[in-house]
Amino acid sequence: MPVTKFNHPDPYKYQTGFDSYHETEAVEGALPVGQNSPQKAPYGLYTEKLSGTAFTAPRHENKQTWVYRIIPAAAHENFVAEDADSYHTRMTTETHKLHHIPNQLRWNPFDLDEKVDWVHGLHLIAGSGDPTQKQGLGILMYAAGKDMGKEAFYSADGDFLIVPQHGVLDIQTELGRIILRPNEICVIPRGIRYRVTLPDGPVRGYICEIYKGHYQLPELGPIGSNCLANARDFQAPVAAFDDEEESEYKLYSKFNNTLFAARQNHTPFDVVAWHGNYYPFKYDLGRFNVIGSISFDHPDPSIFTVLTAPSDHVGTAVADFVIFPPRWLVAEGTFRPPWYHRNTMSEFMGLISGDYDAKVGGGFKPAGASLHNAMSAHGPDSGAFEGASNAELKPQKVGDGSMAFMFESAHMVGVSEWGLKTCQKVQPEYNEHSWKPLKRHFVDPKKKV
């Protein structure tokens, strides 16, 4: 798949490399030389440390960034619960308020919403665990049509992995700016403040928030040192700051899946310089280097993992982010779509564009989704099975113009009230349309004789 081409250029500057140590200054000399916290920081700036892990986390896991800003982030009024009842209904992951269902679920495309901004356009679809215990994840849809004003937002609950499906996000973070389009992804770590504006109108997409750990590249094992997502293709913003004196801002905090708000009399986007390894980043899915079988059968879909958030058990993830991009299939004597299976992991799928090759019946559309929870049986629909079983097995490119993805988790996820009922997008006939038409092909050789 070629690198994504866009209609208009990205106006912002980036540093490249995943999980790298970066340093950047918007004003020459703003980064102290030789120490992190001098008695007086350059240009009268304040020194502030942003920690993404415990201070005593092992060196290879430790995430921290030093920022040099005009006013410390602590300078704000007290937080007050914001629209607590309605927002809590949309965002909660309390176990007793989620619906844990073994049925296969699929959603029609979610609506755009031009009436709300980013903060108020977040809707929980499914989730598991507890942010206060740093366990589990939340799967959200976002839909917005309005710019955030003099506002900023952060999640104290976990890292946001943002997957745009429609429209362009201009994300101003404390550490610099990111522009994000469909076929790209962005990760904004826990605690980093940002605002979202919409240069091309309404937006819609998916989010996987992890309450434990951070996203990282998967281990490659026998694959070797290259392929899948390569570290050099990830981009982190460079320092860029606003200098506004006595400017009123509203700061939103997502704290235990409840929205709080506080006032402050200065811009949150006043970081003049920073250095460290805890920062937002983006990645172009068109740069993913797909691998697969060149003989027979096909490997597990883990070969399509872009990012993973490991659990305490090696090889088992709080969340894996997996994509199914355009790719060549050449295996001989092989049923090429995904096989029928039951998985101890829960699988939430979304579609950014095009058609997914394992669902040809028309019910899985861009901006829609499906959930196959732990041990729920699933696989190709009847049309895909019949077509693949009788196809001429020649080299074939699948997925041209398509990009499907999966959030896969070791957690059994519950569906929110909004996701199950309020959004009115659940397809009650999903199972019936996909698998009920499957025909019996078995021929008992004894009966035949």
Side-chain angles (χ1 to χ4, degrees):
M1 181 179 181
V3 174
T4 308
K5 302 297 182 183
F6 299 118
N7 293 327
H8 49 92
D10 190 329
Y12 304 130
K13 296 178 180 178
Y14 300 95
Q15 306 172 90
T16 58
F18 184 84
D19 207 24
S20 302
Y21 180 92
H22 288 310
E23 60 179 42
T24 172
E25 54 187 11
V27 175
E28 187 176 357
L31 278 176
V33 177
Q35 63 181 121
N36 295 322
S37 185
Q39 183 181 20
K40 290 186 178 181
Y43 301 115
L45 297 171
Y46 286 88
T47 301
E48 182 175 282
K49 185 178 182 181
L50 181 61
S51 296
T53 55
F55 297 141
T56 52
R59 182 183 289 267
H60 71 280
E61 295 178 1
N62 208 297
K63 290 187 175 293
Q64 60 174 343
T65 288
W66 291 89
V67 301
Y68 303 90
R69 64 190 318 153
I70 298 172
I71 298 290
H76 59 73
E77 298 176 0
N78 284 338
F79 282 100
V80 177
E82 175 92 356
D83 297 328
D85 292 337
S86 61
Y87 194 79
H88 196 65
T89 299
R90 298 201 305 266
M91 298 301 300
T92 183
T93 54
E94 294 177 8
T95 302
H96 68 279
K97 293 185 178 180
L98 294 174
H99 303 270
H100 292 83
I101 303 169
N103 292 331
Q104 308 95 333
L105 295 174
R106 189 163 69 185
W107 288 265
N108 288 320
F110 294 94
D111 294 329
L112 293 166
D113 189 347
E114 300 188 20
K115 303 185 297 295
V116 297
D117 63 13
W118 171 264
V119 177
H120 298 92
L122 300 172
H123 296 274
L124 182 80
I125 303 174
S128 177
D130 184 352
T132 68
Q133 300 298 314
K134 294 189 176 180
Q135 295 177 344
L137 75 163
I139 297 170
L140 305 93
M141 285 294 301
Y142 69 83
K146 295 171 60 178
D147 291 345
M148 292 176 65
K150 287 199 169 184
E151 300 166 321
F153 170 82
Y154 74 92
S155 175
D157 294 341
D159 291 9
F160 268 32
L161 189 160
I162 303 169
V163 184
Q165 187 276 323
H166 176 86
V168 179
L169 304 174
D170 192 340
I171 306 173
Q172 181 181 16
T173 81
E174 297 176 85
L175 304 185
R177 304 186 72 135
I178 293 174
I179 196 159
L180 191 67
R181 307 173 178 89
N183 224 43
E184 296 179 319
I185 60 168
C186 172
V187 171
I188 301 184
R190 181 197 314 262
I192 290 181
R193 300 173 180 182
Y194 63 98
R195 69 189 288 264
V196 177
T197 55
L198 315 176
D200 283 352
V203 296
R204 175 177 56 198
Y206 312 81
I207 296 169
C208 186
E209 182 179 23
I210 51 169
Y211 305 143
K212 181 181 180 65
H214 301 288
Y215 287 103
Q216 63 185 54
L217 292 174
E219 298 295 338
L220 294 180
I223 295 173
S225 57
N226 298 297
C227 292
L228 309 189
N230 290 312
R232 62 169 295 201
D233 294 323
F234 288 80
Q235 297 179 297
V238 301
F241 70 98
D242 294 338
D243 185 6
E244 304 174 15
E245 296 187 24
E246 298 298 321
S247 184
E248 184 79 10
Y249 267 80
K250 189 174 186 178
L251 176 62
Y252 290 103
S253 172
K254 180 177 177 290
F255 198 89
N256 191 22
N257 281 317
T258 302
L259 189 66
F260 292 82
R263 299 283 180 179
Q264 63 182 59
N265 63 359
H266 59 95
T267 174
F269 308 110
D270 63 352
V271 174
V272 181
W274 61 267
H275 68 89
N277 64 353
Y278 190 63
Y279 45 77
F281 58 85
K282 79 169 191 173
Y283 175 72
D284 178 356
L285 299 179
R287 294 181 180 270
F288 188 81
N289 189 356
V290 184
I291 66 171
S293 172
I294 55 172
S295 56
F296 60 88
D297 286 343
H298 42 111
D300 293 327
S302 48
I303 61 169
F304 301 112
T305 302
V306 181
L307 293 170
T308 185
S311 71
D312 293 334
H313 186 75
V314 175
T316 303
V318 175
D320 284 329
F321 174 62
V322 179
I323 63 172
F324 302 98
R327 59 203 182 278
W328 281 95
L329 301 181
V330 300
E332 298 176 340
T334 297
F335 181 78
R336 289 177 174 176
W339 52 80
Y340 295 100
H341 66 293
R342 291 167 290 165
N343 194 350
T344 186
M345 306 278 279
S346 299
E347 302 178 10
F348 177 93
M349 283 197 66
L351 188 60
I352 299 170
S353 60
D355 296 308
Y356 177 52
D357 59 293
K359 293 286 188 289
V360 299
F364 189 44
K365 295 290 188 182
S370 67
L371 173 63
H372 304 132
N373 227 320
M375 303 313 296
S376 294
H378 58 285
D381 59 26
S382 58
F385 175 81
E386 295 295 337
S389 298
N390 298 289
E392 181 185 355
L393 291 183
K394 58 184 180 181
Q396 175 191 11
K397 191 169 187 181
V398 299
D400 253 347
S402 173
M403 182 65 76
F405 72 89
M406 180 166 64
F407 299 142
E408 186 176 66
S409 175
H411 291 265
M412 180 183 291
V413 298
V415 184
S416 71
E417 188 74 10
W418 184 89
L420 189 63
K421 300 176 183 177
T422 310
C423 71
Q424 298 182 343
K425 296 298 178 182
V426 173
Q427 298 177 7
E429 71 286 355
Y430 174 38
N431 185 304
E432 181 177 350
H433 283 186
S434 292
W435 300 293
K436 188 175 180 179
L438 288 169
K439 300 175 182 178
R440 177 186 172 97
H441 295 284
F442 176 63
V443 178
D444 188 334
K446 296 179 180 178
K447 290 184 179 179
K448 187 175 182 181
V449 170

